[in-house]
Amino acid sequence: MRVTAPHLAHLWVGLKGTLEELGVESVPPPPTSRRTLSLGVKYSPEGLCLPFKLTLGNFIEALEAGADTLLMAAGTGTCRLGRYHLLQKQILQDLGYKFKMIPLGVSEKKFLGLLHIFKFITGGASWAKIIPAVLLGLKKYSVIDDIEREVNRVRAVEREKGAASRILRQAITAIAEAKRPHSLREIRKYYLEKLAQVPRNPNIQPLKVMVMGEFYVVLEPFSNLDVEIELGKLGCEVHRNLYLSDWTKFSFFLNPLGMNEKQRVHRAALPYLKRDVGGDGWESVGEKVLHAQDYDGLIHLAPFTCMPEIIAENIMPTTKEDVPVLTLICDEQMGKPGMLTRLEAFVDLIRRRRKAREKAAI
Ligand code: SF4
């Protein structure tokens, strides 16, 4: 088997690590590019969301590179995503590709479901082999996320723009190559120290901004035109409401300690939205309510035609918890100059708002 999965942040790093430990060939798609987007747009129904189009483009490029087994998210939730693997399978078969599609219903089947998928892929490897390999992959996500959280803090104040991003790229390469958990611990320590040494501009008072919204466009930098990097250049310390490692914890493991962060967010949204509306719409409302006091502003990322985020976008202006929100609609028409203009105007607004509040507090 030559296994692939669509790009989603650094998903390929952990997946590749697990597959290689199990002796299975991993074929990550080439990095998502304009070509990926063009292929996805060309072969997708027009009204579908950007995650569908980009993941379809990833699959086409991975098949061209020799992949023959495709892993794709699936499930029974209210979002269309749960059915995307069926439609993508049909489209790819109509294009003449030969492959096997494996749907991943991880939210329902949790960690055990994930283990069984690797059991199937390896043709029945022992649990003693599968479990450490899967845990190694998951550990890689935790290390990447710890480093990325710090990168987002440093970007706002670094003297040389791009220094933190360069360290992140080096760290990803080292993490992808790591074969043992103890080397991951060393990599984490080494790159966090490197980030601590990045020269900073002491005159910058970073603004605190949260990036939140639909899961895919929040995590996948190509789909949001590197919004975190651009905010960093504007002097914003970015906090993201979700990371791949957090998501794997929520999705793969039961939570024996009671309420987790996701439940807290749902509870916060209740006065304005009483039920799950699919995707991450409920969470988007809850994030605003829960964190209005913690941030100078929120960037709400929503794919065009995404019903859950349209609901959230319409509710957010009516909450009594007050914090400026900029909704960015992500689709194939989105251009960098337009996005930058909106980001600059938004950052200007929240900077003035902070100054006014500081003045009023004196
Ligand atoms: S949540 Fe919205 S954008 Fe994401 S997959 Fe579902 S419909 Fe598409």
Side-chain angles (χ1 to χ4, degrees), residues 49 51 79-81 84 214 279-280 303 306 308:
C49 56
C79 161
R80 302 181 282 186
L81 179 80
Y84 279 177
E214 193 270 342
D280 306 284
C306 173

Side-chain angles (χ1 to χ4, degrees), residues 120-135:
F120 172 75
I121 289 174
T122 53
S126 69
W127 294 120
K129 209 170 166 200
I130 292 174
I131 293 171
V134 173
L135 292 177

Side-chain angles (χ1 to χ4, degrees), residues 176-193:
E177 282 165 12
K179 300 270 180 248
R180 296 285 164 258
H182 74 84
S183 28
L184 286 171
R185 278 193 290 278
E186 281 161 21
I187 290 169
R188 179 183 180 279
K189 186 167 174 273
Y190 174 76
Y191 284 99
L192 286 178
E193 279 169 13

Side-chain angles (χ1 to χ4, degrees), residues 20-288:
E20 285 177 355
E21 278 294 292
L22 294 170
V24 177
E25 192 172 348
S26 159
V27 185
T32 306
S33 65
R34 297 298 303 175
R35 179 174 187 266
T36 317
L37 180 60
S38 303
L39 287 168
V41 169
K42 184 170 173 188
Y43 295 114
S44 301
E46 189 193 352
L48 287 186
C49 56
L50 193 60
F52 181 94
K53 294 174 183 172
L54 282 175
T55 52
L56 181 67
N58 284 150
F59 278 145
I60 293 173
E61 292 188 306
L63 288 163
E64 288 171 352
D68 60 12
T69 304
L70 316 184
L71 301 179
M72 179 63 190
T76 53
T78 25
C79 161
R80 302 181 282 186
L81 179 80
R83 294 282 174 274
Y84 279 177
H85 66 286
L86 297 170
L87 189 50
Q88 289 178 331
K89 184 176 174 187
Q90 189 64 58
I91 292 170
L92 294 168
Q93 282 174 343
D94 290 350
L95 289 171
Y97 292 110
K98 302 266 179 287
F99 60 90
K100 184 163 191 59
M101 174 79 86
I102 302 182
L104 300 173
V106 287
S107 298
E108 291 85 36
K109 294 179 186 158
K110 305 280 176 195
F111 190 56
L112 213 56
L114 187 71
L115 295 181
H116 276 102
I117 284 167
F118 285 105
K119 186 92 170 165
F120 172 75
I121 289 174
T122 53
S126 69
W127 294 120
K129 209 170 166 200
I130 292 174
I131 293 171
V134 173
L135 292 177
L136 178 75
L138 295 179
K139 177 79 185 157
K140 290 191 178 203
Y141 298 134
S142 300
V143 176
I144 293 175
D145 292 346
D146 286 349
I147 295 172
E148 214 173 2
R149 280 188 181 93
E150 194 52 31
V151 165
N152 268 330
R153 273 191 277 272
V154 175
R155 274 194 191 120
V157 290
E158 63 192 357
R159 270 190 198 281
E160 183 209 343
K161 290 295 168 201
S165 299
R166 194 166 55 241
I167 293 172
L168 177 62
R169 283 194 296 277
Q170 293 165 357
I172 302 290
T173 308
I175 293 165
E177 282 165 12
K179 300 270 180 248
R180 296 285 164 258
H182 74 84
S183 28
L184 286 171
R185 278 193 290 278
E186 281 161 21
I187 290 169
R188 179 183 180 279
K189 186 167 174 273
Y190 174 76
Y191 284 99
L192 286 178
E193 279 169 13
K194 247 184 133 171
L195 284 166
Q197 288 159 15
V198 170
R200 293 151 203 245
N201 183 341
N203 300 321
I204 296 178
Q205 304 279 313
L207 294 159
K208 282 181 77 180
V209 172
M210 178 190 258
V211 171
M212 52 89 165
E214 193 270 342
F215 178 79
Y216 179 90
V217 289
V218 168
L219 285 177
E220 175 49 41
F222 182 88
S223 70
N224 60 41
L225 302 179
D226 291 313
V227 71
E228 292 180 10
I229 295 178
E230 299 305 334
L231 284 164
K233 286 184 197 161
L234 294 170
C236 298
E237 187 181 294
V238 176
H239 298 251
R240 202 191 299 152
N241 74 321
L242 55 95
Y243 283 83
L244 213 45
S245 56
D246 296 337
W247 178 76
T248 51
K249 273 178 219 148
F250 293 143
S251 303
F252 297 155
F253 300 102
L254 296 168
N255 178 27
L257 299 176
M259 191 188 280
N260 61 32
E261 179 61 17
K262 200 161 182 173
Q263 289 166 319
R264 265 179 14 106
V265 171
H266 289 166
R267 184 173 283 186
L270 281 178
Y272 308 99
L273 185 59
K274 300 235 175 295
R275 58 177 281 263
D276 186 8
V277 289
D280 306 284
W282 205 13
E283 288 81 14
S284 292
V285 174
E287 293 288 0
K288 184 189 173 196

